[in-house]
Amino acid sequence: MTSQLLGTPGPHAPTTTEARQGKRTTKGTGWRALPFLALAQFMVVLDGTIVNLALPRLQLEMGISDSTRAWVVTAYALVFGAFLLLGGRISDFWGRKRTFITASAGFAAASLIGGLAQQPWELIGARALQGIFAALLAPAALALLTVAFPGGKDRGTAFAIFGSISGVGAAVGVLLGGFLTEFVSWRWCFFVNVPIAVIALLGVWSLVRESKAAGSTKYDWPGVVLAALGLGSLVYGFANAEHGWGAVDSWGFVAAGALLLVLFVAVERKVKNPLLPLHVATERNRGAAFLASFLAGAVLIGGILFINFYLQIVLGFAPFAAGIASLPMTVVLIITAGIVAKNLPRLGAKVPSALGPVFMAAAMLWLTRVTPDGTYAVNMLPALVLMGIGLGLVFVPMQNLALFGVDKDDAGVASALVNASQQIGGSLGIALFSTIAAAAASAAGGDTLAALTSGYSMVFLWAAGVAVLIAPIALLLIRIDRKTFSGTSDTPHTHLG
């Protein structure tokens, strides 16, 4: 058990006493390493939103045009999404600890460059570098967690903590970005990553030994190129769709991305050492988790964006006040995730995965009642509480299920697929919801507060529809029983792979 987490097998088969001691050692090491692994995931998700509230002031100080401003956000998402699968395979082949440490150091350096940038191209380049290192860091962190907690109740609890970070990081990014921009400087939206990355690096360096895939470590370069171009094209097309689907740089890139990914699947079926072994993605239980992560990412990232638009533009909240206003969702999410984790062996994956989307949809439907003269207590607070409950119910079982039964040699690439699902879902959510909001606002009369609110209301209605789709996916595709899922069954869970 120790060798599964921390490195290669020892020179002799362990005795019963040694095995028990190794199990206790692994368990203790895993729990000590968990805060540092979760911290890295927190940083990666944080950087998807922390710059958003800083954009207006950043643009003014650096003299950036409106068209260039969008690249401050898009560059990170584009590179992150494009290289996630490669990052997962690098962590499997090169070593997960080595990849984690390198990526943490690189992310800190890229953040420092972004904070010191004097020219727009320097800032955008730093964001792209952050995306590259995030594509290495995120799958390495989740792969290390997967190997550290191979099954049982401890795995559920560890994944609950790690999984809730996705929702917490996005919400805290808004809060922290607003605070730093308003009271310090937008540059600290970059500098803040440096101590976080260093702490995570030192923790993993001191607590975790190396783990990597056994056997052949040849890279599937045709798959690498097709996956990077396909995922990158999708993210780029979705990002540009905010300005309308009629342009070639929106629908054209989305279509090209879809075609490239079809070719990628065809290649993966033929090559000897695929970048993405298809059984990782196509097993029905894990497939449900990846689809749910995709849709939940769209609702979470897209929904948070328009919740903050309403708070700041319509209700007139300052950036930091808007961040504070979103805290109830974060607090409720953490509480719900803890409750779900504790009861996950009894509940199984299907029940919370199907129930969570109902709460998410209810939150979005409540938000459709927003008005120009609305109030936070009436229009927003109940929805934020419902959203926190829904996300906590969905993220905990889905993070567990997405990596359940995956061979430890494929832990990195499976972890990358979870992150890629959420990233692409979030990009699609922002693009789709931005287009819907613009069309609805235009039909309602332009840029007045009433028209903007009408656009936001339509966005929340569509977001409710997207959330509802998660429930039938969970009900129809999840077939794993509670005992197998909780690790208490006599049947080895590796049969899912």
Side-chain angles (χ1 to χ4, degrees):
M1 184 72 75
T2 305
S3 63
Q4 280 186 313
L5 168 65
L6 304 177
T8 57
H12 65 281
T15 64
T16 303
T17 302
E18 288 173 328
R20 288 174 180 169
Q21 290 174 343
K23 186 173 182 179
R24 288 194 295 269
T25 302
T26 298
K27 192 179 199 179
T29 302
W31 285 118
R32 291 196 299 272
L34 175 59
F36 301 103
L37 298 174
L39 191 62
Q41 175 71 2
F42 173 81
M43 181 176 66
V44 168
V45 177
L46 180 83
D47 267 66
T49 57
I50 192 171
V51 178
N52 291 6
L53 290 181
L55 281 178
R57 191 166 299 180
L58 178 158
Q59 181 182 13
L60 182 64
E61 288 188 17
M62 297 196 72
I64 298 175
S65 66
D66 288 344
S67 59
T68 303
R69 178 189 63 186
W71 278 99
V72 177
V73 175
T74 304
Y76 180 77
L78 177 64
V79 178
F80 184 28
F83 291 100
L84 263 169
L85 286 178
L86 177 60
R89 247 341 179 203
I90 289 174
S91 74
D92 284 334
F93 291 169
W94 194 46
R96 289 146 194 156
K97 176 182 177 180
R98 184 183 299 173
T99 302
F100 184 98
I101 291 173
T102 302
S104 297
F107 201 97
S111 299
L112 189 61
I113 293 170
L116 296 173
Q118 300 299 314
Q119 299 296 327
W121 66 266
E122 294 173 336
L123 185 62
I124 293 169
R127 287 290 280 169
L129 276 176
Q130 282 184 318
I132 289 174
F133 289 114
L136 290 167
L137 185 60
L142 193 50
L144 286 171
L145 185 71
T146 303
V147 178
F149 296 94
K153 294 181 180 180
D154 286 342
R155 178 189 177 97
T157 303
F159 272 67
I161 296 169
F162 195 90
S164 63
I165 293 296
S166 295
V168 172
V172 172
V174 174
L175 172 65
L176 190 57
F179 174 80
L180 293 173
T181 300
E182 191 168 343
F183 298 111
V184 189
S185 166
W186 64 263
R187 294 182 182 276
W188 275 94
C189 293
F190 292 88
F191 292 148
V192 73
N193 291 319
V194 177
I196 295 176
V198 170
I199 292 170
L201 184 159
L202 292 175
V204 170
W205 178 76
S206 62
L207 291 172
V208 179
R209 295 182 192 169
E210 190 59 276
S211 71
K212 61 176 68 175
S216 176
T217 56
K218 292 183 179 179
Y219 288 96
D220 165 26
W221 291 114
V224 168
V225 173
L226 288 171
L229 291 177
L231 292 173
S233 294
L234 281 182
V235 174
Y236 182 77
F238 291 151
N240 282 302
E242 181 179 352
H243 308 294
W245 286 99
V248 175
D249 61 357
S250 56
W251 68 263
F253 275 92
V254 171
L259 177 60
L260 286 166
L261 291 179
V262 170
L263 292 174
F264 169 72
V265 171
V267 168
E268 298 308 277
R269 295 182 62 174
K270 300 294 184 182
V271 297
K272 185 177 180 180
N273 298 296
L275 175 67
L276 173 62
L278 294 183
H279 64 265
V280 171
T282 56
E283 193 280 323
R284 65 182 298 158
N285 295 282
R286 287 198 295 267
F290 295 136
L291 286 172
S293 296
F294 172 80
L295 296 173
V299 177
L300 171 64
I301 298 175
I304 284 179
L305 178 67
F306 284 91
I307 285 172
N308 279 285
F309 282 169
Y310 180 74
L311 287 171
Q312 292 187 69
I313 298 173
V314 178
L315 298 186
F317 282 39
F320 181 55
I324 291 289
S326 68
L327 275 180
M329 182 182 74
T330 304
V331 173
V332 172
L333 190 158
I334 293 172
I335 294 171
T336 303
I339 294 172
V340 173
K342 185 176 180 179
N343 294 281
L344 200 58
R346 183 168 57 86
L347 293 172
K350 179 181 290 190
V351 172
S353 299
L355 187 60
V358 176
F359 282 92
M360 293 168 64
M364 292 295 112
L365 288 174
W366 185 280
L367 290 172
T368 61
R369 304 164 59 199
V370 293
T371 62
D373 56 350
T375 64
Y376 171 76
V378 173
N379 295 98
M380 301 299 299
L381 183 58
L384 293 171
V385 172
L386 289 170
M387 191 67 172
I389 295 172
L391 291 171
L393 286 167
V394 170
F395 277 142
V396 174
M398 286 304 170
Q399 284 280 3
N400 276 269
L401 195 58
L403 291 159
F404 192 87
V406 174
D407 189 282
K408 64 180 183 296
D409 289 351
D410 295 325
V413 73
S415 305
L417 196 55
V418 178
N419 282 284
S421 299
Q422 292 177 354
Q423 186 68 28
I424 299 298
S427 298
L428 175 60
I430 290 175
L432 177 64
F433 297 157
S434 295
T435 303
I436 291 168
S442 178
D447 293 330
T448 65
L449 285 182
L452 290 174
T453 304
S454 177
Y456 301 156
S457 179
M458 186 60 66
V459 164
F460 297 137
L461 180 62
W462 276 77
V466 173
V468 165
L469 293 176
I470 301 173
I473 289 173
L475 291 172
L476 295 174
L477 294 183
I478 296 177
R479 287 288 182 267
I480 188 170
D481 61 81
R482 288 192 296 257
K483 287 187 177 181
T484 303
F485 185 63
S486 64
T488 59
S489 172
D490 293 334
T491 305
H493 63 239
T494 51
H495 74 278
L496 291 178

